[in-house]
Amino acid sequence: MKQGGVLSPVLFCVYVDDLLVRLSKIGVGCFIGRTFIGALAYADDIVLVAPSASALRKMLAVCDEYAEYCMSFNAQKSKCMALLPKLQRFLASQLDSCGFSIGSRPMESVNSYLNLGHLISNKLEDDVDIAISQGQFIGQVNNVLTYFCKLDCFVRYRLFQSFCTSYYGCELWSLRSRKLTDFCHAWNKGVCRIWNLPYNTHCYALPILCECLPVSDEICCCMITKMCNS
């Protein structure tokens, strides 16, 4: 079982690589300059990005043809989402009539989809995704306070740093989102609870006490690091 667990990702990469090459060669997916971004694969997830309905059908046909040899695609777990500019969102109702299928089975059209732990919306807004992360953050703080309530505040803060400050996926958030302010307020309240401080403690004093950057600056640093490493 252990060997199979190690080999499975490698075998999947071997099988999927040829499919990604085929998709890039048909030239109908999305590109950034000369870089093909029409097929994004991570673990056992594959995302197809196409500029039009006809282009997506061609890419799905390539997947169907490839699946006959070594794999199958689950239509029930596959979703289709149309991303439209703000001025063209009135066309969304017309796109609902464009049916897409994989493995001769129809795919469901959705307005949002949870992929790799992030909620992607067809309105290209991050409010819901940030709200989900905020709820997860509050839950993590509650767990630290529940299980380690008798420990010293300094120890609790170290646990807080380890378990509550990953801010997973914050690199994708828009800094203009109103929910980002709510997330920062939740961080301030969480830190006050960790240190047993009054809730009216000035937010500017918290990063000084914690010897860290304000959470908004931490998120900006994560974004910059991501861009530099891309």
Side-chain angles (χ1 to χ4, degrees):
M1 293 296 292
K2 187 175 182 180
Q3 291 180 347
V6 173
L7 290 176
S8 294
V10 177
L11 293 175
F12 180 79
C13 292
V14 171
Y15 280 124
V16 170
D17 184 67
D18 189 42
L19 173 60
L20 300 179
V21 172
R22 295 188 187 191
L23 289 169
S24 65
K25 286 184 176 180
I26 61 175
V28 297
C30 289
F31 287 79
I32 296 181
R34 296 183 178 181
T35 303
F36 177 68
I37 60 165
L40 309 175
Y42 183 82
D44 59 346
D45 290 327
I46 300 177
V47 178
L48 301 182
V49 186
S52 64
S54 60
L56 180 57
R57 287 196 175 92
K58 291 179 180 179
M59 298 177 74
L60 289 171
V62 172
C63 292
D64 281 334
E65 181 182 358
Y66 186 78
E68 295 178 0
Y69 299 101
C70 57
M71 65 174 62
S72 61
F73 294 98
N74 192 333
Q76 293 182 344
K77 293 184 178 180
S78 301
K79 310 296 179 183
C80 181
M81 184 170 63
L83 304 177
L84 296 172
K86 189 173 183 179
L87 297 177
Q88 297 181 7
R89 288 176 185 168
F90 66 92
L91 298 173
S93 58
Q94 300 180 22
L95 292 174
D96 292 337
S97 59
C98 298
F100 300 95
S101 62
I102 186 75
S104 301
R105 295 185 177 182
M107 299 167 54
E108 180 185 4
S109 295
V110 296
N111 295 325
S112 61
Y113 186 65
L114 191 66
N115 183 54
L116 301 178
H118 299 287
L119 188 72
I120 303 173
S121 168
N122 62 350
K123 294 183 180 179
L124 300 178
E125 296 176 350
D126 300 316
D127 290 358
V128 177
D129 191 39
I130 296 175
I132 292 174
S133 297
Q134 179 181 334
Q136 293 173 344
F137 170 80
I138 294 173
Q140 291 166 346
V141 173
N142 289 336
N143 286 337
V144 170
L145 291 171
T146 299
Y147 294 106
F148 306 104
C149 59
K150 296 182 180 180
L151 296 180
D152 183 86
C153 292
F154 291 94
V155 178
R156 286 210 307 264
Y157 178 66
R158 294 300 181 189
L159 293 169
F160 170 82
Q161 287 181 306
S162 300
F163 296 108
C164 307
T165 58
S166 66
Y167 314 130
Y168 175 69
C170 66
E171 302 91 342
L172 304 175
W173 296 346
S174 171
L175 296 177
R176 298 179 180 179
S177 174
R178 293 172 295 180
K179 289 294 181 180
L180 190 58
T181 301
D182 296 339
F183 186 92
C184 294
H185 288 330
W187 185 89
N188 293 337
K189 292 180 180 179
V191 169
C192 287
R193 294 177 65 195
I194 293 293
W195 288 103
N196 287 330
L197 298 173
Y199 284 117
N200 60 354
T201 302
H202 205 293
C203 59
Y204 290 114
L206 298 178
I208 298 174
L209 174 64
C210 298
E211 297 183 346
C212 68
L213 293 173
V215 66
S216 57
D217 292 349
E218 290 281 2
I219 292 173
C220 290
C221 289
C222 291
M223 291 180 176
I224 294 173
T225 302
K226 182 66 174 179
M227 289 187 292
C228 293
N229 293 335
S230 300

